[in-house]
Amino acid sequence: MTATVGFKDRHTILVTGGAGYIGSHAVLALKDAGWKVAVIDNLVTGFAWAVPGDVPFYQGDIADGDLLARILSEQNIGGILHFAGSVVVPESVSDPLKYYSNNTAKSRSLIESAIQGGVKHFIFSSTAATYGTPDIDGPIGETTPQVPINPYGTSKLMTEWMLRDCAAAHDFNYCALRYFNVAGADPQARTGQSTAGATHLIKVAVEAALGKRDNVTVFGTDFDTPDGTGVRDYIHVSDLAHAHVLALEALIAEPSRSHTLNCGYGHGYSVLEVLDAIDRVTNRKITRVLAGRRAGDPASLTADNKAIRQSLGWTPQHDDLDTIVSHALAWERHLGERAG
C-alpha cells in the first residue's frame, strides 16, 4: 500500500502495554514488518526486559496527559496500538472499579491525548467478553448483540463506544479487535506470557507440566458442552499480533473507514481437550482438580472470523493446538532458565 509506505517513513507507532504479554508480541510484529516503534508501560504486569533495546521505552501511565503529549511529540507518533489494561474476569467481578478505571477511564484519557496530539489511527485491544453469553449455536459474528456478563467485558465495550463516537466527530479512525482466548508464545522464543500468577489456562497448565504448580483446577464440569467443560477459541499470540499490523495498514490505506473485527480461529477446544494436548506434548499427566464454575464464565466462545479474513486478508499461521502448546512450553522453559 503506497500510503502505508510513506506513513511508515514519517511516523512511529506507540504501543501501550508494550512490555506485557500481547503488547510485546505486537512490538516484535511491527519491528519485523519494518515499523518504528515506541512503548509506554507502567510495568505493573509488564517487564522492561520484554521491550527490545532499540525501542524507545517510557515507564508511565497512559492517563498521564503531559507524558503522552511529550511522547507523541518526541517520537512523531502516527498511530497507537492500545494494549494497556486489566484482563482477569473473576477479578473484574470482585473489583469492578479497578476495571472501569484501568480499561475505561484511562482509555478515555489516552484517546483524548491521541486526538489532541493529531494521531489519526488507533487500534484497540478489545475482547469477546463484550458478547457475554450469546444465545446462538456456533461461532459468534461481529453483529451479535453485545451483552457482557462481567465488568471486564463491560469496561472494554464502553471503550469501543468511545472510539465509535470519536471517529464520527474527529479526523480519526480505529480498529477494535475482539480477542478470543490468546495463548502460545513467539515461535523464536523472544517473548511470551511471563506474568506471575497468570490465570490463562494454557499458561497455568504448562507451569504444572514443568512442576511449577501442583495441579490445574478445572472450573466447571457441568456446562452445556460435549464434555461439560468450557470451550474457548484459542488463538496463537503471534497470529494475533500480525492481525494488528494488518489492521494498522488498513486504517492508513482508508482513513475514512473504521473496523470492528473478531480475532479467533473459528473453532474451539474444551478445558479437558487443552489439558489432554499438554499431556500429549509433554508426555506426562497433569493432575486435574475439578471445581465449580467461576463467576462470569460463559460455556462456549468461538469466533466467526470471516470478516477479519476478508477485511484485512488475515491468514493464520499457527492454527494448531499442539503448536500453541509447544510454543508456550518452550517459553515457560526459557523463563525457568532465566530464573536459574
Side-chain angles (χ1 to χ4, degrees), residues 62-278:
I62 60 169
D64 184 339
D66 291 340
L67 175 59
L68 262 294
R70 179 162 67 88
I71 296 171
L72 299 186
S73 174
E74 285 181 355
Q75 301 298 331
N76 193 26
I77 300 298
I80 294 175
L81 273 60
H82 176 32
F83 299 94
S86 300
V87 300
V88 181
V89 169
E91 182 188 47
S92 80
V93 175
S94 62
D95 191 3
L97 290 177
K98 174 180 178 179
Y99 280 68
Y100 292 123
S101 174
N102 289 349
N103 294 355
T104 309
K106 291 186 179 183
S107 290
R108 181 218 165 274
S109 296
L110 176 66
I111 295 166
E112 182 176 44
S113 293
I115 291 170
Q116 290 177 343
V119 177
K120 300 185 185 303
H121 311 297
F122 194 104
I123 299 171
F124 175 51
S125 163
S126 192
T127 172
T130 63
Y131 294 117
T133 54
D135 186 20
I136 61 174
D137 183 21
I140 300 163
E142 286 84 354
T143 59
T144 300
Q146 291 176 283
V147 189
I149 62 172
N150 52 60
Y152 168 61
T154 305
S155 69
K156 290 285 193 172
L157 178 57
M158 292 167 73
T159 300
E160 286 194 20
W161 289 343
M162 287 190 286
L163 288 167
R164 176 199 64 197
D165 294 344
C166 288
H170 300 280
D171 181 13
F172 174 87
N173 68 343
Y174 72 94
C175 181
L177 294 174
R178 294 177 185 156
Y179 307 170
F180 282 66
N181 277 54
V182 187
D186 176 58
Q188 300 175 47
R190 294 174 293 177
T191 189
Q193 170 62 288
S194 307
T195 308
T199 59
H200 298 81
L201 174 62
I202 291 178
K203 166 72 170 177
V204 168
V206 296
E207 287 179 344
L210 295 179
K212 298 181 180 181
R213 294 176 184 254
D214 294 333
N215 54 60
V216 174
T217 303
V218 179
F219 294 102
T221 58
D222 59 348
F223 288 109
D224 184 17
T225 60
D227 65 16
T229 64
V231 171
R232 297 292 183 269
D233 190 330
Y234 293 93
I235 176 174
H236 193 290
V237 64
S238 294
D239 280 337
L240 179 62
H242 181 57
H244 287 75
V245 177
L246 296 178
L248 175 65
E249 293 173 352
L251 293 180
I252 296 166
E254 292 188 78
S256 62
R257 183 182 179 192
S258 292
H259 305 264
T260 299
L261 301 166
N262 287 337
C263 289
Y265 289 151
H267 57 83
Y269 297 97
S270 73
V271 173
L272 295 183
E273 287 175 325
V274 169
L275 297 181
D276 287 345
I278 292 171

Side-chain angles (χ1 to χ4, degrees), residues 32-46:
D32 289 347
W35 288 95
K36 295 176 289 186
V37 186
V39 166
I40 180 172
D41 197 298
N42 62 13
L43 298 184
V44 171
T45 57

